[in-house]
Amino acid sequence: MQKNLYLVCPTHQLEAYIQSKFGTHHLFLTALGSVFRFEEVRFVEKVADFLMQDAIDRITIVHDLNCPFKNKIINHEKGLHSYAEEYLFEIYIDHYYRINQFESRKEKAREMALIHSENLTHTLYHHPLLEKPIRQKGIAINSLLVDWKTNQLEKVNTSFSTAGTAA
């Protein structure tokens, strides 16, 4: 049985939603807005140890298309009160034209989630402390876009590959 580690925002309790769709044998790591602090060494060391100890087959980065943090930024609401909001705001500014080529809030949220997934996937595959356990264990990374209001899921495969790289 495949065991996934889901990286998810706890705001809308997506853990229960995911368990209802994929079973209860998976694990979760949560952070507001799915913004994880991979620059904090102690946090990363714990994640790396966990990946080496547990039989994780896949890391799935989950993005809530109704995320209040992403929506706040897309809707140009004032006040950034958390690290997650500041990080997501940077993504929004850095990719302003890519995100705002779309008309609807939902399309903009989807594009912002895709960019965030690309960044997080790259970080996971290339982080000096996470790269080895991910490659050594052959852990795949993908993303899942969730619109719990309409009960829609979109699986997104990553373009990064671990094939042919040294461990």
Side-chain angles (χ1 to χ4, degrees):
M1 177 180 315
Q2 186 173 12
K3 194 173 198 180
N4 288 355
L5 173 62
Y6 289 94
L7 306 184
V8 62
C9 175
T11 305
H12 288 129
Q13 301 173 352
L14 291 181
E15 300 96 321
Y17 180 82
I18 290 166
Q19 288 177 331
S20 74
K21 297 289 184 188
F22 302 110
T24 59
H25 57 280
H26 303 291
L27 302 167
F28 296 88
L29 184 61
T30 63
L32 292 178
S34 295
V35 176
F36 295 86
R37 293 182 179 232
F38 287 111
E39 70 281 358
E40 292 183 6
V41 175
R42 292 181 140 218
F43 170 72
V44 176
E45 287 174 338
K46 297 268 188 213
V47 172
D49 288 344
F50 177 77
L51 293 176
M52 289 303 288
Q53 300 296 323
D54 217 326
I56 301 298
D57 300 299
R58 176 178 306 277
I59 296 172
T60 300
I61 303 162
V62 180
H63 289 284
D64 179 358
L65 295 181
N66 299 294
C67 173
F69 304 106
K70 290 180 180 81
N71 287 335
K72 181 178 183 179
I73 291 163
I74 290 168
N75 294 330
H76 300 221
E77 295 175 23
K78 292 187 180 192
L80 302 176
H81 303 292
S82 69
Y83 175 81
E85 291 168 319
E86 291 172 8
Y87 179 87
L88 294 170
F89 182 71
E90 285 182 31
I91 287 176
Y92 184 76
I93 295 302
D94 289 347
H95 301 278
Y96 182 84
Y97 293 108
R98 179 175 163 187
I99 294 166
N100 284 294
Q101 69 180 321
F102 299 100
E103 293 294 321
S104 74
R105 185 223 43 92
K106 186 175 177 179
E107 290 173 312
K108 290 176 183 180
R110 181 184 179 279
E111 193 64 24
M112 194 169 176
L114 290 172
I115 294 165
H116 187 183
S117 285
E118 291 165 8
N119 291 351
L120 190 48
T121 299
H122 184 269
T123 297
L124 289 167
Y125 273 133
H126 298 289
H127 193 286
L129 298 176
L130 296 174
E131 180 179 32
K132 183 179 178 183
I134 288 171
R135 293 178 194 281
Q136 202 172 61
K137 297 273 195 156
I139 299 171
I141 301 174
N142 70 342
S143 297
L144 183 67
L145 308 183
V146 177
D147 185 344
W148 52 270
K149 287 183 178 180
T150 61
N151 200 29
Q152 292 181 327
L153 300 171
E154 179 184 353
K155 292 182 182 179
V156 180
N157 291 319
T158 176
S159 60
F160 295 96
S161 172
T162 59
T165 57

